[in-house]
Amino acid sequence: MLTRVKSAVLPLKFPYMRPQFLGLSPDEIECSADHIARPILILKETRRLPWATGYAEVINAGKSALNEDQACCEVVVARRRPMSYCPPTPSKTPAAKRRNSLPNGESLGEGFVFHYWALFDGHAGSGTAVAASRLLQHHIACQLQAVIEVLRNAASLPPTILGEEPNVDGPYVQGNTPGPHRTLTRAASLRGAAGTPGSPCSTPPPPRFFTEKKIQHESLVVGAIENAFKEMDAQIEKEKQVYSVTGGCTALAVVYLLGKLYVANAGDSRAIVIRNSEIIPMSTEFTPESERQRLQFLGFMQPHLLGNEFTHLEFPRRVQRKEVGKRMLYRDFTMSGWAYKTIEDEDLKFPLIYGEGKKARVLATIGVTRGLGDHDLKVHDSNIYIKPFLSCCPEVRVYNLTQYEHGADDVLVMGTDGLWDVLSNQEVAEAVTTFLANCDPDDLHRYTMAAQDLVMRARGVLRDRGWRITNERLGSGDDISVFIIPLMYGNRQP
């Protein structure tokens, strides 16, 4: 059970909605929230997304009243302006109008255009997911503003000091003593060599040489995205004081800029590239099990965060009082394997991480370890906050589109965990590849139809024993959202 700090009733900054690009009326949104029929929503025939991207979604089977997934797909301009310019709210220009008035990915006189796709999977309310779907792309644009000129200058490595020319002639030299350079060894310095502190000689010190890391332009984009996630999380925390921003959400965002796809994931959504029937994973799920050592280390270093109710150690099961004094399997943050330890009274506390697979929980409360929001989330019936154990920092992976010539069936598939809980990477790849092979390559709607087919496969069919998929396996009862992005359009960008 998720327990949150009670507060006065606050106004909404962003009302509940479905993705703006679907163009749904209020009546259509209401009809889409049918937990029995679970209609699959897709793009209307008259609408198009950048790169002919396909999208489909379906609501859960009753887990929550609303569809807590959110999605965004836009073409965004990062203009050359001071960082202080960054707007806290999105432009009031309709998304469709912004997309239609922008070129397809080339740099502008004042900035860069980047393509953006994102999925947000909310929990304990849809407020954070809705806010992130409206704002994260603007934080990314804001972070890119500071490095636009550096990114433009592809011929030179980024300078260590912004505004200075990068050093390309060798190691960085401190000091400007004329004449031949003489390297000062540590031993000579300790002996009081000429020019060193304490030396009787007043000769000026020789220049000192420092090696300098060579930072690539790609790393600046990765850093901009990482900082954008942190700024987004900070904005949510700040605005919770004046607005109702419920729950938290995972975030999976893709940015196309200068020939590369940057896939940023914080949570348990997933992205894969399907290229010539080959599967290339583009994200890692962050769960209590995958981040066990990070979480245990935090609990070890800051035991007050455990509230004297939890132990940072992991055991195969709950320790019973009768087992005190016996030797039992355990592991801590230093271990990937298991060992035996003598059980003490301290070990009777509830484990920081408990359960397996989708049932694994942090502090007996939450099943994801990265995402946005959750600032007021507490352990049930206690005063222990969970946010210190949750990270808003994404893992960013890069896919260089220019290294390959992509065909019409080569795609990037993004999906919330409702898809991946019931279908493997291989099943998704086979389904998408088979569907696209049977479509007209010139039909721009084919990717939306492929997304619809994928959601239908994961949702399944309602039978007497619930939603069922292939081989009578249990279908997904979760919200499901899917983007299918054809990669061939990336090869066509300037």
Side-chain angles (χ1 to χ4, degrees), residues 129-146:
V130 172
S133 71
R134 299 287 296 273
L135 298 173
L136 180 59
Q137 65 271 37
H138 301 282
H139 281 286
I140 294 174
C142 174
Q143 293 295 325
L144 289 173
Q145 286 174 4

Side-chain angles (χ1 to χ4, degrees), residues 409-473:
D409 294 350
D410 295 333
V411 296
L412 172 69
V413 178
M414 301 170 61
T416 53
D417 66 331
L419 172 71
W420 308 104
D421 285 348
V422 296
L423 296 179
S424 66
N425 288 0
Q426 189 64 42
E427 289 174 313
V428 167
E430 289 177 358
V432 171
T433 301
T434 300
F435 189 94
L436 293 177
N438 293 318
C439 293
D440 180 357
D442 297 324
D443 181 6
L444 295 181
H445 205 56
R446 66 201 296 259
Y447 303 104
T448 286
M449 302 307 294
Q452 180 185 40
D453 177 72
L454 204 51
V455 171
M456 191 178 301
R457 287 173 181 267
R459 181 202 65 179
V461 178
L462 183 60
R463 303 191 187 281
D464 294 338
R465 294 178 296 139
W467 292 90
R468 298 286 163 172
I469 60 175
T470 306
N471 299 327
E472 285 302 303
R473 292 182 295 166

Side-chain angles (χ1 to χ4, degrees), residues 50-197:
W51 291 16
T53 297
Y55 177 81
E57 70 172 43
V58 69
I59 197 170
N60 61 80
K63 184 183 73 170
S64 60
L66 301 175
N67 186 337
E68 295 182 331
D69 283 1
Q70 290 291 331
C72 182
C73 178
E74 290 187 8
V75 179
V76 186
V77 180
R79 298 192 181 278
R80 184 178 59 190
R81 288 194 174 102
M83 289 295 289
S84 59
Y85 164 79
C86 297
T89 56
S91 166
K92 296 184 181 297
T93 308
K97 185 175 180 180
R98 292 201 304 274
R99 285 196 303 271
N100 293 338
S101 63
L102 293 172
N104 288 323
E106 66 266 26
S107 61
L108 298 178
E110 297 182 356
F112 275 120
V113 171
F114 65 86
H115 290 70
Y116 171 83
W117 302 261
L119 294 175
F120 305 91
D121 185 353
H123 49 258
S126 59
T128 296
V130 172
S133 71
R134 299 287 296 273
L135 298 173
L136 180 59
Q137 65 271 37
H138 301 282
H139 281 286
I140 294 174
C142 174
Q143 293 295 325
L144 289 173
Q145 286 174 4
V147 293
I148 282 177
E149 290 305 317
V150 180
L151 294 175
R152 283 182 183 281
N153 188 10
S156 299
L157 293 174
T160 298
I161 304 297
L162 190 61
E164 294 185 0
E165 290 297 320
N167 177 46
V168 296
D169 298 324
Y172 173 71
V173 181
Q174 184 185 53
N176 54 4
T177 306
H181 293 164
R182 179 167 61 89
T183 303
L184 184 67
T185 66
R186 174 174 171 81
S189 175
L190 293 175
R191 287 195 302 268
T196 62

